[in-house]
Amino acid sequence: MNPRLRIGELAIQCGVALETIRYYEKVGLLPEPMREANGYRVYGQGHVEQLAFIRHCRALDMSLADIHALRQFATQPSGDCGEIDQLIETHLARVHERLTSLQNLERQLLTLRATCASGRCVQECGILHELVAAAQGDGCVCHTDDTPGNN
Amino acid sequence: MNPRLRIGELAIQCGVALETIRYYEKVGLLPEPMREANGYRVYGQGHVEQLAFIRHCRALDMSLADIHALRQFATQPSGDCGEIDQLIETHLARVHERLTSLQNLERQLLTLRATCASGRCVQECGILHELVAAAQGDGCVCHTDDTPGNN
DNA sequence: TAAAAACCCCGTAGCCACTTCAGGGTCAAG
DNA sequence: CTTGACCCTGAAGTGGCTACGGGGTTTTTA
């Protein structure tokens, strides 16, 4: 019942590129597997589970460092759960921040797109004009009394 | 009226790290400025505008390649505006996709956080259990008849 | 006037999480 | 006995910077 997988099989089973598996091993996230006589890696159930855990955390967009930390916590079963909470809390805050900034971003891009009535030439492209104009309002005090394009 | 800025002044005026300015020059996004006798870079109004344009596009999370493409379009004023639309459209689609995936992510993390009643020890941490269990449902068929941790 | 602080130069390496590449070895099928 | 599928290693590339090391120059201050 205990599967003895080669790297390619593990890769397919867990939906991971096999280079990624070797990479996780190299950075110490996945324990080194045993080897066949020819040097090929052999994986067992433990590896399957660990890799799935890593991929699930990555799907939650946690960094490899976070995942490493979670593994460390897990090896000290009597430790305080609070650090795990904290890690999730911090991560959640990061995600939330990126989320709101992406929402702003989308709004801006939608506005930008709306300035274009296509079929015209670049010279009168609303988008390009808008981008240039917006840049000028962005922070630089720009008196355009200079031919643009070169110092 | 035409400013002749040194790199540090340009950096402050446009709110960009000066290494970033040199980087943009290196990758061909900002034209090479003239030099003082001592080799110091001197920037003019054109550079101020271009840098502001770049930063504004970056704030919209466009890649440097996209920005480069926009610049190319801008140098062919009689070309078709449609390619610009297309670029924005594609970018918007990318942003929207990331946005929805981040929303899912946040929902999952909120659920995850809710599984924890803190103050307990790691062994019974709801979050960790949830992460492991979720990973098992994720794609790998896992009969846990093996001691986890090693092959 | 000299020393200290602030600015500039260049090239290289580091960050993250991979991916790709070059150059090989191993093994079963046809 | 060769083809093709699989595996190995180490190094380099990706994007968009950031940091560092080791210098030179300019400006300010004591």
Side-chain angles (χ1 to χ4, degrees), chain A residues 1-4 13-14 31-34 42-57 59-62 70-71 73-82 84-85 88-89 91-92 95-96 98-100 102-103 105-106 108-110 112-113 116-128 130-132 134-136 138-151, chain B residues 1-4 13-14 31-34 42-57 59-62 70-71 73-82 84-85 88-89 91-92 95-96 98-100 102-103 105-106 108-110 112-113 116-128 130-132 134-136 138-151:
Chain A
M1 211 81 278
N2 186 12
R4 322 211 99 249
Q13 191 169 127
C14 289
E32 290 188 25
M34 306 226 277
V42 212
Y43 297 95
Q45 187 56 31
H47 289 101
V48 173
E49 284 161 21
Q50 294 225 32
L51 184 53
F53 176 74
I54 294 169
R55 292 314 289 184
H56 184 70
C57 292
L60 292 173
D61 207 29
M62 295 181 195
L70 281 178
R71 286 212 339 158
F73 293 143
T75 62
Q76 299 166 349
S78 56
D80 186 6
C81 168
I84 296 176
D85 299 2
I88 298 297
E89 200 65 44
H91 182 57
L92 192 49
V95 167
H96 188 75
R98 281 204 293 134
L99 184 58
T100 55
L102 258 190
Q103 278 165 343
L105 182 50
E106 188 182 31
Q108 286 178 61
L109 282 169
L110 286 168
L112 183 60
R113 188 182 55 175
C116 185
S118 68
R120 295 181 301 186
C121 67
V122 169
Q123 206 158 19
E124 45 194 28
C125 175
I127 289 177
L128 211 50
E130 188 62 28
L131 280 172
V132 170
Q136 284 175 21
D138 247 9
C140 297
V141 186
C142 298
H143 329 266
T144 312
D145 52 3
D146 192 11
T147 35
N150 224 343
N151 61 301
Chain B
M1 211 83 276
N2 185 12
R4 321 210 101 251
Q13 190 169 130
C14 289
E32 289 187 28
M34 306 225 276
V42 212
Y43 296 95
Q45 187 57 31
H47 290 101
V48 173
E49 285 162 21
Q50 294 225 31
L51 184 53
F53 176 73
I54 294 169
R55 293 312 289 185
H56 184 70
C57 292
L60 292 173
D61 206 31
M62 294 180 197
L70 281 178
R71 286 211 339 157
F73 292 143
T75 62
Q76 300 167 347
S78 55
D80 186 5
C81 169
I84 296 176
D85 300 2
I88 298 296
E89 200 65 44
H91 182 57
L92 191 49
V95 167
H96 188 75
R98 280 204 293 134
L99 184 58
T100 55
L102 259 189
Q103 279 165 343
L105 182 49
E106 188 182 30
Q108 286 179 63
L109 283 169
L110 286 168
L112 183 60
R113 188 181 57 175
C116 186
S118 68
R120 295 181 301 186
C121 66
V122 169
Q123 207 159 21
E124 46 194 27
C125 175
I127 290 177
L128 211 50
E130 188 62 29
L131 280 173
V132 170
Q136 283 175 21
D138 247 12
C140 298
V141 187
C142 299
H143 330 267
T144 313
D145 52 0
D146 192 10
T147 36
N150 224 343
N151 64 300

